Amino acid sequence: MIIAPSLLAANFLNLQADCQMLNESEADWFHLDVMDGRFVPNISYGFPVIEQIRKTTKKLCDVHLMIEEPGKYAEAFRKAGADILTVHYEACPHLHRNIQQIKDLGMVAGVAINPHTPVQLLQDILANIDLVLVMSVNPGFGGQKFIPHSLQKIRTLRQRIDDLGLNVKIEVDGGVDPNNARALFEAGAHVLVAGSSVFQSADPKATISALKHIDKEVA
Ligand code: DX5
Ligand code: ZN
């Protein structure tokens, strides 16, 4: 399992301490949520914050864009330090072009889908992308409840990816915790994003390790 803690739930008055904690932990990626107040009803943080976080770590920076017109900013996110750039299917009328741009900039290209968006709509883009981010809550806020139907979407998607022999990772984002992680692994997820379940736990590093080794847990 690849674990990508979401900094949205970190302590913004002391990001350095939380970045250090993640660096010492078994976390694989830093998940960075960017919201524009248009695609989603919330505004988070942008380039200056990402640039600073980037300086603290050698781990991959996984930037989840919940914004309209992501193509306008892809280059700036690359400069700020993004390794993985994920755009929303629902925000991109010219998705194929957006994906091409992200790859041309040397980043890993991801497509995120909202809870109501069928995985089948990815059929004609799947072979062109590196990652699908399945939203298991409605994007915009941390700390929401996991939507169980996401499991079925992951199963269907994983089957399709395997049938086609593609190298596409499935990332799940929203309401992920050590209680549902095993089911997500069994459904076929490769990457778990976790915000509040990590940062609000008594021992964040131990929670990250528990998520990381969920595949080895005896069922
Ligand atoms: C929500 C963001 C998530 C969020 C997850 O729109 O995309 O990455 O931080 O937070 P939790 O894990 O608390 O649901
Ligand atoms: Zn996210």
Side-chain angles (χ1 to χ4, degrees):
M1 268 295 181
I2 294 172
I3 306 302
S6 165
L7 276 291
L8 194 62
N11 175 4
F12 284 84
L13 271 183
N14 198 350
L15 270 178
Q16 192 159 15
D18 281 344
C19 290
Q20 192 181 329
M21 179 278 289
L22 292 182
N23 282 324
E24 290 165 1
S25 78
E26 291 193 272
D28 300 278
W29 301 351
F30 279 33
H31 185 82
L32 304 171
D33 290 295
V34 178
M35 306 178 187
D36 66 353
R38 294 179 69 210
F39 178 68
V40 288
N42 197 7
I43 296 176
S44 57
Y45 51 80
F47 304 114
V49 174
I50 293 175
E51 277 167 27
Q52 296 308 315
I53 292 174
R54 169 78 279 177
K55 289 182 195 161
T56 72
T57 189
K58 291 194 174 68
K59 301 196 185 201
L60 292 187
C61 285
D62 169 34
V63 176
H64 176 193
L65 295 184
M66 285 161 275
I67 68 172
E68 291 181 2
E69 300 188 84
K72 276 190 185 173
Y73 308 101
E75 194 173 347
F77 281 109
R78 180 56 170 157
K79 288 203 177 109
D83 301 295
I84 303 166
L85 199 65
T86 296
V87 297
H88 264 266
Y89 176 88
E90 303 84 2
C92 298
H94 304 288
L95 185 60
H96 189 278
R97 179 182 292 150
N98 296 123
I99 295 302
Q100 213 48 57
Q101 180 194 24
I102 293 169
K103 288 184 164 178
D104 289 347
L105 287 164
M107 293 180 280
V108 172
V111 173
I113 51 171
N114 279 338
H116 75 277
T117 302
V119 293
Q120 288 80 1
L121 287 177
L122 297 174
Q123 178 169 319
D124 292 323
I125 198 74
L126 210 49
N128 302 106
I129 63 182
D130 304 301
L131 177 147
V132 176
L133 193 163
V134 176
M135 284 305 305
S136 42
V137 299
N138 285 294
F141 302 93
Q144 302 181 81
K145 211 168 154 302
F146 179 82
I147 299 171
H149 178 65
S150 316
L151 285 167
Q152 190 49 49
K153 292 176 74 172
I154 294 164
R155 274 183 218 114
T156 307
L157 187 59
R158 180 62 187 264
Q159 186 70 55
R160 187 80 190 136
I161 289 168
D162 289 351
D163 286 350
L164 295 170
L166 297 173
N167 185 17
V168 178
K169 287 199 175 7
I170 302 176
E171 180 172 18
V172 197
D173 186 4
V176 174
D177 63 29
N179 295 317
N180 56 26
R182 175 83 196 183
L184 290 165
F185 162 70
E186 283 171 358
H190 305 94
V191 187
L192 301 179
V193 176
S196 38
S197 70
V198 164
F199 287 96
Q200 284 170 23
S201 74
D203 187 345
K205 283 188 217 169
T207 304
I208 290 166
S209 295
L211 292 168
K212 175 92 189 149
H213 301 291
I214 207 83
D215 52 339
K216 293 170 201 104
E217 194 179 78
V218 182

